[in-house]
Amino acid sequence: MMARACGVDFGTSNSTVGWCRPGHPSLLPLEEGKTTLPSAVFFNAEEDRWSFGRGALADYLAGHEGRLMRSLKSLLGTSLLDGQTEVQGRAIPFRQLLAQFIGELKRRAEQAAGRSFEHAVFGRPVHFIDDDLKADQQAEASLLQIAQAAGFREVAFQYEPIAAAFDYESEIEREQLVLIADIGGGTSDFSLVRLSPQRAQKADRRDDILATAGVHIGGTDFDKYLSLSSVMPRLGMGSRLASDAEMPSSHYFNLATWHTINLAYTRKAWEELQDLRRDARERDKLDRLLQLVQQRDGHWLALKVEEGKIALSEATVTALQLERLPPPQTVLVEREHFDAAITHLVMAIEAAVGELLRNAAVPAEAVDTVFFTGGSSGVHMLRKRIASLLPDAQRVEGDLFGSIGAGLALDAQRRFG
Ligand SMILES: Nc1ncnc2c1ncn2[C@@H]1O[C@H](COP(=O)(O)OP(=O)(O)OP(=O)(O)O)[C@@H](O)[C@H]1O
Ligand SMILES: [Mg+2]
């Protein structure tokens, strides 16, 4: 029996689609035989054409006139979702960008599976938005609307860490109390669950989910604070104007934040930057900023910073090569510096784990396993700190980019058959 439904992990950075077929891995190939499609959309204004995933990043980096958007999921639940970006006089609503991407995920999955999917279980973070229930509900409602517009007739939602738990459960042989830690691009999500092969057979798992918790902090925030601390100062952030006032920081924040990079490219922003350059005490730094904006290289820079961050998961120091900017082009970043830049974020993530254990009224010693998934669980300090909250638990590393999608596929089969 083949399932009628698929599981869709629409991630901030990467997306997957899973489908259960006996004897086959569940994740479907979406691009160049790979099971992940980076959540990126490029509108090529020269050719009036859309591209997606690695293809979108490549088209943007090749310098085609157009608009790149990454981190689309971060728009859900914010007022930015109803905004738009402009390219060559054409306005592209962000909702349309999201619908294009989800529609493309569906098309590619259907092509790989050789059949159509009308039902889907979409993953969702525990909180799209922190401490704002209404905005959080709005985020889910918007995603539902967009999924339906993309052609899914029936859509259910599942918490991303619960989906990861279902994936891990398919591998274990005895009952375990497990903390699932899913540290992704946009959110860090946790769930404390009782897993076993017998429990996996039950239709209703509510009693096995002891608690969930999540914060709207993930790898894209690590990129942002690494950029603000190590790269933006070289473009004039923190420098002084003739009046001795500090350079306004909004342009730097927009450029350091994946989903707001395009806001740095408006005509108004350009005029402001030119005024600031006239008043700047360190004009060479402003020249680098102006060149970056003029070349529309904001995403290129963010990709460099992200690469550096990922390198620091292995090495204690790395060099960013900023060849598209005027010299000096090499920026050395030490892991210690990165750790310092993200300490406040890591503390907030740790607090979410503490809260989860308190809510579940479970002592740390009772947890058998910590299961790590999500690309950002590669960040050294974060993994060390979470593990130290549960010193007795064994640590298991899942498929960092595939566990959620595989779990959603299982859930889709259970719910829709
Ligand atoms: N080795 C690594 N070390 C640190 N970070 C990494 C590593 N590999 C990938 N990342 C980061 O992981 C993030 C992407 O992870 P993932 O694909 O799990 O997120 P996502 O599912 O798209 O996001 P979310 O679940 O929050 O919506 C990116 O921020 C990426 O930079
Ligand atoms: Mg994810």
Side-chain angles (χ1 to χ4, degrees):
M1 260 280 287
M2 293 202 291
R4 296 184 297 152
C6 63
V8 180
D9 176 16
F10 169 48
T12 309
S13 307
N14 296 292
S15 296
T16 62
V17 182
W19 175 46
C20 285
R21 297 155 295 167
H24 288 273
S26 55
L27 294 185
L28 292 161
L30 300 177
E31 187 178 27
E32 298 162 2
K34 298 192 173 74
T35 55
T36 53
L37 185 67
S39 306
V41 180
F42 183 70
F43 173 68
N44 182 328
E46 294 164 7
E47 298 170 18
D48 197 10
R49 195 171 59 78
W50 299 84
S51 52
F52 303 89
R54 293 166 193 83
L57 297 171
D59 283 352
Y60 160 77
L61 289 172
H64 295 291
E65 184 66 32
R67 271 294 172 275
L68 180 71
M69 195 67 202
R70 233 189 138 197
S71 216
L72 287 158
K73 187 179 178 183
S74 304
L75 299 168
L76 293 170
T78 76
S79 57
L80 285 173
L81 181 64
D82 293 311
Q84 57 190 38
T85 180
E86 267 170 42
V87 54
Q88 293 198 333
R90 176 164 164 176
I92 307 169
F94 287 131
R95 272 183 196 272
Q96 186 188 348
L97 282 167
L98 268 150
Q100 290 280 356
F101 184 77
I102 305 267
E104 186 67 16
L105 268 182
K106 183 169 185 288
R107 260 188 305 283
R108 291 186 186 211
E110 288 176 339
Q111 196 181 15
R115 50 162 301 150
S116 65
F117 294 119
E118 298 194 330
H119 301 58
V121 176
F122 271 66
R124 57 149 293 165
V126 175
H127 300 296
F128 278 104
I129 303 285
D130 293 337
D131 306 319
D132 184 345
L133 188 61
K134 204 166 146 238
D136 189 76
Q137 287 168 343
Q138 240 158 29
E140 189 185 285
S142 297
L143 184 54
L144 174 63
Q145 257 174 14
I146 291 164
Q148 286 170 335
F152 288 111
R153 262 200 310 132
E154 210 169 315
V155 174
F157 287 95
Q158 177 59 272
Y159 288 131
E160 288 160 7
I162 302 290
F166 291 157
D167 181 44
Y168 176 55
E169 191 173 45
S170 65
E171 295 167 19
I172 61 175
E173 281 162 13
R174 57 169 185 89
E175 180 162 313
Q176 296 181 20
L177 182 60
V178 183
L179 174 74
I180 304 285
D182 169 22
I183 323 286
T187 52
S188 296
D189 289 307
F190 302 95
S191 62
L192 189 64
V193 280
R194 225 178 273 291
L195 302 178
S196 75
Q198 292 73 36
R199 288 174 189 272
Q201 308 303 319
K202 294 195 306 178
D204 185 348
R205 299 299 301 272
R206 261 173 298 185
D207 292 347
D208 296 335
I209 300 169
L210 280 65
T212 54
V215 276
H216 194 181
I217 298 173
T220 55
D221 302 289
F222 301 156
D223 298 342
K224 171 176 173 173
Y225 284 91
L226 180 57
S227 176
L228 289 172
S229 70
S230 64
V231 176
M232 293 302 161
R234 287 158 203 262
L235 307 183
M237 184 172 155
S239 68
R240 301 269 161 190
L241 298 167
S243 64
D244 206 38
E246 198 172 291
M247 194 65 71
S249 61
S250 64
H251 300 284
Y252 300 107
F253 273 81
N254 281 341
L255 284 169
T257 308
W258 279 103
H259 65 282
T260 59
I261 292 172
N262 292 317
L263 301 182
Y265 300 157
T266 61
R267 187 183 306 244
K268 185 165 162 274
W270 181 248
E271 284 164 6
E272 271 174 31
L273 287 177
Q274 281 181 320
D275 289 344
L276 289 168
R277 184 195 176 275
R278 264 192 297 279
D279 291 343
R281 290 209 184 143
E282 298 182 64
R283 282 201 181 153
D284 54 324
K285 291 184 175 165
L286 268 284
D287 285 340
R288 308 176 92 212
L289 175 63
L290 282 163
Q291 182 168 330
L292 179 90
V293 170
Q294 191 170 35
Q295 292 171 178
R296 305 287 186 260
D297 274 338
H299 286 91
W300 163 82
L301 184 63
L303 284 164
K304 289 283 179 182
V305 172
E306 181 183 13
E307 265 172 37
K309 171 193 74 176
I310 292 174
L312 289 175
S313 288
E314 298 294 327
T316 54
V317 60
T318 190
L320 313 185
Q321 297 300 345
L322 307 182
E323 72 278 358
R324 293 192 182 186
L325 293 180
Q329 294 173 323
T330 304
V331 179
L332 279 186
V333 188
E334 294 183 4
R335 188 191 282 162
E336 269 178 19
H337 174 95
F338 172 57
D339 288 351
I342 64 163
T343 295
H344 65 297
L345 302 172
V346 172
M347 283 169 66
I349 296 172
E350 277 180 273
V353 179
E355 183 196 307
L356 173 126
L357 292 174
R358 273 193 305 281
N359 286 347
V362 165
E365 309 81 70
V367 178
D368 299 304
T369 304
V370 189
F371 178 82
F372 285 105
T373 185
S376 300
S377 62
V379 172
H380 234 258
M381 171 166 67
L382 187 61
R383 192 195 279 251
K384 213 172 72 193
R385 295 270 197 106
I386 293 176
S388 74
L389 292 173
L390 301 161
D392 302 334
Q394 66 159 339
R395 294 164 210 179
V396 176
E397 184 167 308
D399 173 347
L400 293 196
F401 301 99
S403 293
I404 315 279
L408 290 170
L410 279 174
D411 201 25
Q413 186 181 38
R414 287 176 194 152
R415 288 191 203 210
F416 293 116

